[in-house]
Coordinates of all heavy atoms in Angstrom, one line a residue:
V1 N -3.8 -3.5 7.3 CA -2.9 -2.3 7.4 C -2.1 -2.5 8.7 O -0.9 -2.3 8.8 CB -3.6 -1.0 7.3 CG1 -2.7 0.2 7.6 CG2 -4.2 -0.8 6.0
Y2 N -2.9 -2.8 9.8 CA -2.2 -2.9 11.1 C -1.2 -4.0 11.2 O -0.2 -3.9 11.9 CB -3.3 -3.2 12.2 CG -4.3 -2.1 12.4 CD1 -5.6 -2.3 13.0 CD2 -4.0 -0.8 12.0 CE1 -6.5 -1.3 13.1 CE2 -5.0 0.3 12.2 CZ -6.2 0.0 12.7 OH -7.1 1.0 12.9
R3 N -1.4 -5.0 10.4 CA -0.5 -6.1 10.4 C 0.7 -5.9 9.5 O 1.8 -6.5 9.6 CB -1.2 -7.4 10.0 CG -2.1 -8.0 11.1 CD -3.1 -8.9 10.6 NE -3.8 -9.6 11.7 CZ -4.7 -9.1 12.5 NH1 -5.0 -7.8 12.3 NH2 -5.3 -9.8 13.5
I4 N 0.6 -5.0 8.5 CA 1.7 -4.7 7.6 C 2.6 -3.6 8.1 O 3.8 -3.6 8.1 CB 1.2 -4.4 6.2 CG1 0.5 -5.6 5.5 CG2 2.3 -3.8 5.3 CD1 -0.1 -5.3 4.2
L5 N 1.9 -2.5 8.6 CA 2.6 -1.3 9.0 C 3.0 -1.3 10.5 O 2.2 -1.8 11.3 CB 1.8 -0.1 8.7 CG 1.4 0.1 7.2 CD1 0.5 1.3 7.1 CD2 2.6 0.2 6.3
P6 N 4.1 -0.8 10.9 CA 4.5 -0.7 12.3 C 3.7 0.4 12.9 O 3.0 1.2 12.2 CB 6.0 -0.3 12.2 CG 6.2 0.3 10.9 CD 5.2 -0.3 10.0
A7 N 3.7 0.5 14.2 CA 3.0 1.5 15.0 C 3.4 2.9 14.6 O 2.6 3.9 14.5 CB 3.1 1.3 16.5
R8 N 4.7 3.1 14.3 CA 5.2 4.4 13.9 C 6.0 4.1 12.6 O 6.8 3.2 12.6 CB 6.1 5.0 15.0 CG 5.4 5.4 16.2 CD 6.3 6.1 17.2 NE 6.9 7.3 16.6 CZ 6.3 8.5 16.7 NH1 5.1 8.6 17.3 NH2 6.9 9.6 16.2
I9 N 5.9 5.0 11.6 CA 6.6 4.8 10.4 C 6.8 6.2 9.8 O 6.0 7.1 9.9 CB 5.8 3.9 9.4 CG1 6.6 3.6 8.1 CG2 4.4 4.5 9.1 CD1 5.9 2.6 7.2
G10 N 8.0 6.3 9.2 CA 8.3 7.6 8.5 C 7.4 7.8 7.3 O 7.0 6.8 6.6
Q11 N 7.0 9.0 7.0 CA 6.1 9.3 5.9 C 6.7 8.8 4.6 O 6.0 8.3 3.7 CB 5.8 10.8 5.9 CG 4.8 11.1 4.8 CD 4.3 12.6 4.9 OE1 4.3 13.2 6.0 NE2 4.0 13.2 3.8
R12 N 8.0 9.0 4.4 CA 8.7 8.6 3.2 C 8.6 7.1 3.0 O 8.4 6.6 1.9 CB 10.1 9.1 3.2 CG 10.3 10.6 3.2 CD 11.7 11.1 3.1 NE 11.8 12.5 3.0 CZ 12.9 13.2 2.7 NH1 14.0 12.5 2.5 NH2 12.9 14.5 2.6
R13 N 8.9 6.4 4.1 CA 8.8 4.9 4.0 C 7.4 4.5 3.7 O 7.2 3.5 3.0 CB 9.4 4.3 5.3 CG 9.4 2.8 5.3 CD 9.9 2.3 6.6 NE 9.7 0.8 6.7 CZ 9.7 0.1 7.8 NH1 9.8 0.7 9.0 NH2 9.5 -1.2 7.8
L14 N 6.4 5.1 4.3 CA 5.1 4.8 4.1 C 4.7 5.0 2.6 O 4.0 4.1 2.0 CB 4.1 5.6 5.0 CG 2.6 5.4 4.9 CD1 2.3 3.9 5.2 CD2 1.8 6.3 5.7
M15 N 5.1 6.1 2.0 CA 4.8 6.4 0.6 C 5.4 5.3 -0.3 O 4.8 4.8 -1.2 CB 5.3 7.8 0.2 CG 4.6 8.9 0.9 SD 5.2 10.5 0.4 CE 4.4 10.7 -1.2
L16 N 6.6 4.9 0.1 CA 7.3 3.9 -0.7 C 6.6 2.5 -0.6 O 6.3 1.9 -1.7 CB 8.8 3.7 -0.3 CG 9.6 2.5 -0.9 CD1 9.7 2.8 -2.4 CD2 10.9 2.4 -0.3
M17 N 6.2 2.2 0.6 CA 5.5 0.9 0.7 C 4.1 0.9 0.0 O 3.7 -0.1 -0.6 CB 5.2 0.6 2.2 CG 6.5 0.3 3.0 SD 6.2 -0.1 4.8 CE 5.3 -1.6 4.6
M18 N 3.4 2.0 0.1 CA 2.1 2.1 -0.6 C 2.3 2.0 -2.1 O 1.5 1.4 -2.8 CB 1.4 3.4 -0.2 CG 1.0 3.4 1.3 SD -0.5 2.4 1.7 CE -1.8 3.4 1.1
A19 N 3.3 2.7 -2.6 CA 3.5 2.7 -4.1 C 3.9 1.3 -4.6 O 3.4 0.9 -5.6 CB 4.7 3.7 -4.4
L20 N 4.7 0.6 -3.8 CA 5.1 -0.8 -4.2 C 3.9 -1.7 -4.1 O 3.7 -2.6 -5.0 CB 6.2 -1.3 -3.4 CG 7.6 -0.5 -3.5 CD1 8.6 -1.1 -2.6 CD2 8.0 -0.6 -5.0
L21 N 3.1 -1.6 -3.1 CA 1.9 -2.4 -3.0 C 0.9 -2.1 -4.2 O 0.4 -3.1 -4.7 CB 1.2 -2.1 -1.7 CG 1.7 -2.7 -0.4 CD1 1.0 -2.2 0.8 CD2 1.6 -4.2 -0.4
A22 N 0.8 -0.9 -4.5 CA -0.1 -0.6 -5.7 C 0.4 -1.1 -7.0 O -0.3 -1.7 -7.8 CB -0.3 1.0 -5.8
L23 N 1.7 -1.0 -7.2 CA 2.4 -1.6 -8.4 C 2.1 -3.1 -8.4 O 1.7 -3.7 -9.5 CB 3.9 -1.3 -8.3 CG 4.4 -0.1 -9.1 CD1 5.8 0.2 -8.7 CD2 4.2 -0.2 -10.6
A24 N 2.4 -3.8 -7.3 CA 2.3 -5.3 -7.3 C 0.9 -5.7 -7.5 O 0.6 -6.6 -8.3 CB 2.9 -5.8 -6.0
F25 N 0.0 -5.1 -6.8 CA -1.4 -5.6 -6.8 C -2.1 -5.3 -8.2 O -2.8 -6.2 -8.7 CB -2.2 -4.9 -5.7 CG -3.5 -5.6 -5.4 CD1 -3.5 -6.8 -4.7 CD2 -4.7 -5.1 -5.9 CE1 -4.7 -7.4 -4.4 CE2 -5.9 -5.7 -5.6 CZ -5.9 -6.9 -4.9
S26 N -1.8 -4.2 -8.8 CA -2.4 -3.9 -10.1 C -1.8 -4.7 -11.2 O -2.4 -4.8 -12.3 CB -2.2 -2.4 -10.4 OG -0.9 -2.0 -10.5
S27 N -0.6 -5.3 -11.0 CA -0.1 -6.2 -12.0 C -0.8 -7.5 -12.0 O -1.0 -8.1 -13.0 CB 1.4 -6.4 -11.7 OG 2.1 -5.2 -11.9
L28 N -1.3 -7.9 -10.8 CA -2.0 -9.2 -10.7 C -3.5 -9.1 -10.9 O -4.1 -9.9 -11.5 CB -1.7 -9.8 -9.3 CG -0.2 -10.1 -9.1 CD1 0.0 -10.6 -7.6 CD2 0.3 -11.1 -10.1
A29 N -4.1 -8.0 -10.4 CA -5.5 -7.8 -10.5 C -5.7 -6.7 -11.5 O -4.7 -6.1 -12.0 CB -6.1 -7.4 -9.2
D30 N -6.9 -6.4 -11.9 CA -7.2 -5.3 -12.8 C -7.1 -3.9 -12.0 O -7.1 -3.9 -10.8 CB -8.6 -5.4 -13.3 CG -9.7 -5.3 -12.2 OD1 -9.8 -6.3 -11.5 OD2 -10.2 -4.2 -12.1
N31 N -7.0 -2.8 -12.8 CA -6.8 -1.5 -12.2 C -7.9 -1.1 -11.3 O -7.7 -0.4 -10.3 CB -6.6 -0.5 -13.3 CG -5.3 -0.6 -14.0 OD1 -4.4 -1.4 -13.6 ND2 -5.1 0.1 -15.1
I32 N -9.1 -1.5 -11.6 CA -10.3 -1.1 -10.8 C -10.2 -1.7 -9.4 O -10.4 -1.0 -8.4 CB -11.6 -1.5 -11.5 CG1 -11.7 -0.7 -12.8 CG2 -12.8 -1.2 -10.6 CD1 -12.9 -1.1 -13.7
T33 N -10.0 -3.0 -9.4 CA -9.9 -3.7 -8.1 C -8.8 -3.2 -7.3 O -8.9 -3.0 -6.1 CB -9.8 -5.2 -8.3 OG1 -10.9 -5.7 -9.1 CG2 -9.8 -6.0 -7.0
A34 N -7.6 -3.0 -7.9 CA -6.4 -2.5 -7.2 C -6.7 -1.1 -6.7 O -6.3 -0.8 -5.5 CB -5.2 -2.5 -8.2
S35 N -7.4 -0.3 -7.4 CA -7.7 1.1 -6.9 C -8.6 1.0 -5.7 O -8.3 1.8 -4.7 CB -8.3 1.9 -8.1 OG -7.5 2.0 -9.2
L36 N -9.6 0.2 -5.8 CA -10.5 0.1 -4.7 C -9.8 -0.3 -3.4 O -10.0 0.2 -2.3 CB -11.7 -0.8 -5.0 CG -12.7 -0.4 -6.1 CD1 -13.6 -1.5 -6.5 CD2 -13.5 0.8 -5.6
I37 N -9.0 -1.3 -3.5 CA -8.3 -1.8 -2.3 C -7.3 -0.8 -1.8 O -7.3 -0.5 -0.6 CB -7.5 -3.1 -2.7 CG1 -8.5 -4.2 -3.1 CG2 -6.6 -3.5 -1.5 CD1 -9.4 -4.7 -1.9
M38 N -6.5 -0.2 -2.7 CA -5.4 0.8 -2.2 C -6.1 2.0 -1.6 O -5.5 2.6 -0.7 CB -4.5 1.1 -3.4 CG -3.7 -0.1 -3.9 SD -2.8 -1.0 -2.6 CE -1.8 0.3 -1.8
L39 N -7.1 2.5 -2.2 CA -7.8 3.7 -1.7 C -8.5 3.4 -0.4 O -8.6 4.3 0.5 CB -8.7 4.3 -2.7 CG -8.0 4.9 -4.0 CD1 -9.0 5.1 -5.1 CD2 -7.3 6.2 -3.6

């Protein structure tokens, strides 16, 4: 997380980044693994 996110980030941008990460990761891995990682 520290390497992906800047020290300060807008909440809206953070929500967008997290949503896109969840979309991409769950497409490649199964939903269970993706959920564990994202949560």
Side-chain angles (χ1 to χ4, degrees):
V1 174
Y2 295 159
R3 285 160 171 73
I4 293 176
L5 301 179
R8 295 182 62 86
I9 184 173
Q11 186 173 326
R12 296 185 175 188
R13 184 184 169 197
L14 179 61
M15 294 181 75
L16 175 61
M17 290 182 67
M18 293 286 282
L20 294 179
L21 281 172
L23 266 170
F25 196 75
S26 63
S27 294
L28 298 175
D30 63 281
N31 289 353
I32 295 172
T33 305
S35 300
L36 291 169
I37 294 295
M38 296 309 302
L39 290 167

